[in-house]
Amino acid sequence: MVKPVILDMVTIDRPRIVYVTYTVPWNPRYGGAIRCRGIIEGLAEQSDLHVAFAGSTPSDIETFLKLPVPNNITRHVLLPNPGWEGVDDWKGSRTINAYVGLGMYRRSFINLIKVIKPDLNWYFEVESVRRTAVLRGVPTVLDYCDLRSRKQMRQSRYEAGLKQVAGIAKAMLLHLDDVLIATRFTRSVVASPDEIGLLWPMRNVTVLPNGYYFPSSPPPISAGCQRLLFYGSLFYKPNKDGVRWLCREVWPLIIDQMPEAQLDIAGLGGEDMSELSNIPGVNVLGFVDDLDPLIRQSAALVVPLRVGGGTRIKILEAWAKGLPVVSTNIGAEGLSIQDGKTGLIGDTTEEFAGQCISILQNATIRNQLASAGYEYGHQNFSWEIIQEQLQAICKSIFRPD
């Protein structure tokens, strides 16, 4: 019999919740991990929480186990089903067997559930469901985090011919899959109000926004020299597309009016875009472990996304650290940014360039946006606020009216 690895066991006379994830929840540079961590800490405040990790990459397991967590959280590493040994988890979870057969970690997960006897199972993204199992007799919550169908449909718009047709077909299948999966859960959670309609006709859908750790008082406002900052994984196609558009089409308009301006691009995968460093004023930095020095020397965070879905935690981080934001509407999705008040919005090449130039040239605008962004983010997206909503979701499941 396959037995899960169990660490940090704590027994608390409270509801027992199992949180299932395939991503390491304490990675400070990955938006999904930040969401995981915030929800985990919120659930731990009100339950005996067990975090079940459905990933087999040795480095991820090591990170999952070694980083400190609150004392009332129990960590478990799920083991692959017999016969799955030697299969990379990112491959194994995408095989036909993962979709129509047993999940890669199903048996280990079932054994864990038999031991814990939870009052609620909470899954992070559809991928966690694919890797484990949805069991009868236990209330369940699925956090979609970022609906796959919308991201795929938008990405298809930038394809042509058969690739576009195939992309649209895939988006439609993902949409059907998301809706069918929602029927198996007590409650489904999305990060943005815009996504509720995408799970129609399901009525068990609740918005739980992304959050960030805002300081209790406004941070010092960025010095605001003539530097713009983008950061994010450049392995992520929407980021890669947005950065190329920014550098090749938007940046020439900016540099034409502000020859001394600089654009810093930080993130994993930057080495694959090193040719952008040949553009005057563009600095492709690759992965940067500590972004705070870059944030302090920048006039604004730029979010030039044209495809993708979900909400950008990097915008919340910018607000929390006193950095104004320039974004497209897609980049700002789910955050209800007011153009000219809590951020600057531009969708066309000329609009985005104009907003960047405005914030580079005008210190008053920078300071107003930084202050308003902090206040708005702190009031609506601090983890203290989000965790109140999290408690309401759990209360509605444990004690429905």
Side-chain angles (χ1 to χ4, degrees):
M1 178 180 293
V2 178
K3 296 182 179 180
V5 178
I6 302 179
L7 298 179
D8 314 320
M9 180 58 77
V10 177
T11 301
I12 304 175
D13 188 21
R14 295 192 292 177
R16 294 179 298 276
I17 297 178
V18 173
Y19 185 93
V20 190
T21 178
Y22 68 96
T23 190
V24 179
W26 7 96
N27 180 348
R29 293 265 58 89
Y30 168 49
I34 293 173
R35 180 176 176 87
C36 272
R37 178 183 172 184
I39 291 175
I40 284 172
E41 292 181 354
L43 292 173
E45 289 291 323
Q46 55 185 306
S47 71
D48 176 5
L49 184 65
H50 300 258
V51 180
F53 184 57
S56 61
T57 303
S59 61
D60 284 348
I61 293 176
E62 180 183 3
T63 303
F64 174 77
L65 295 177
K66 76 178 183 181
L67 292 180
V69 296
N71 290 332
N72 58 332
I73 294 176
T74 305
R75 290 177 287 191
H76 307 262
V77 175
L78 302 178
L79 302 179
N81 299 332
W84 286 80
E85 286 81 3
V87 180
D88 291 337
D89 63 304
W90 68 272
K91 292 180 180 178
S93 63
R94 288 161 174 75
T95 63
I96 294 298
N97 190 53
Y99 282 81
V100 301
L102 300 178
M104 183 179 179
Y105 304 91
R106 178 186 176 92
R107 188 170 299 181
S108 181
F109 179 67
I110 291 174
N111 290 338
L112 178 65
I113 297 304
K114 288 179 179 178
V115 172
I116 297 175
K117 297 180 175 61
D119 301 295
L120 173 67
N121 290 340
W122 188 296
Y123 299 77
F124 174 70
E125 293 192 341
V126 173
E127 183 69 9
S128 292
V129 180
R130 296 297 190 196
R131 297 186 184 205
T132 56
V134 181
L135 305 178
R136 295 180 180 179
V138 182
T140 52
V141 174
L142 172 58
D143 179 6
Y144 282 88
C145 184
D146 185 358
L147 280 175
R148 305 167 296 165
S149 57
R150 181 165 65 167
K151 184 191 305 181
Q152 177 62 42
M153 183 63 77
R154 286 174 171 168
Q155 189 171 324
S156 300
R157 295 173 185 168
Y158 291 90
E159 303 289 354
L162 291 178
K163 281 189 175 182
Q164 185 178 65
V165 173
I168 292 173
K170 182 178 179 180
M172 295 173 66
L173 290 173
L174 286 173
H175 170 68
L176 178 61
D177 189 49
D178 281 339
V179 174
L180 290 176
I181 288 174
T183 65
R184 304 173 63 190
F185 284 82
T186 310
R187 185 69 54 86
S188 297
V189 171
V190 294
S192 166
D194 302 332
E195 295 176 318
I196 290 181
L198 297 177
L199 290 176
W200 183 88
M202 299 305 301
R203 297 182 179 180
N204 63 340
V205 185
T206 300
V207 176
L208 186 66
N210 283 322
Y212 198 77
Y213 300 91
F214 281 76
S216 58
S217 58
I221 294 175
S222 169
C225 66
Q226 292 190 8
R227 305 188 79 93
L228 298 176
L229 173 64
F230 171 90
Y231 64 86
S233 172
L234 295 171
F235 291 122
Y236 181 53
K237 288 183 178 179
N239 282 345
K240 184 178 291 189
D241 169 81
V243 166
R244 285 198 165 122
W245 172 67
L246 173 65
C247 292
R248 293 173 177 173
E249 299 183 36
V250 177
W251 189 247
L253 300 183
I254 297 173
I255 209 73
D256 183 59
Q257 293 195 35
M258 306 192 68
E260 302 301 317
Q262 298 287 309
L263 171 63
D264 295 320
I265 299 169
L268 286 170
E271 56 275 7
D272 293 338
M273 306 179 72
S274 58
E275 79 280 358
L276 298 178
S277 293
N278 297 325
I279 299 173
V282 174
N283 310 296
V284 181
L285 306 176
F287 175 75
V288 175
D289 185 54
D290 183 6
L291 288 169
D292 284 349
L294 284 175
I295 289 174
R296 286 193 294 269
Q297 71 180 19
S298 299
L301 172 74
V302 288
V303 188
L305 268 67
R306 303 188 296 171
V307 294
T311 58
R312 248 54 57 191
I313 291 180
K314 63 172 66 100
I315 292 179
L316 304 182
E317 181 176 20
W319 284 339
K321 295 182 177 180
L323 185 64
V325 174
V326 179
S327 178
T328 60
N329 272 297
I330 288 179
E333 207 161 48
L335 299 176
S336 300
I337 290 179
Q338 292 182 270
D339 185 24
K341 184 175 181 180
T342 52
L344 296 181
I345 303 296
D347 284 326
T348 68
T349 300
E350 293 75 16
E351 288 172 350
F352 203 92
Q355 300 286 43
C356 290
I357 292 169
S358 174
I359 210 167
L360 286 169
Q361 290 180 335
N362 194 318
T364 300
I365 290 177
R366 286 199 304 270
N367 294 342
Q368 290 174 345
L369 289 172
S371 297
Y374 167 81
E375 293 296 335
Y376 176 68
H378 186 256
Q379 293 171 12
N380 294 278
F381 300 103
S382 64
W383 275 118
E384 291 84 356
I385 300 298
I386 305 303
Q387 287 171 2
E388 291 177 5
Q389 299 174 43
L390 185 63
Q391 290 175 3
I393 292 173
C394 292
K395 182 178 178 181
S396 71
I397 294 173
F398 293 137
R399 295 186 294 275
D401 295 332

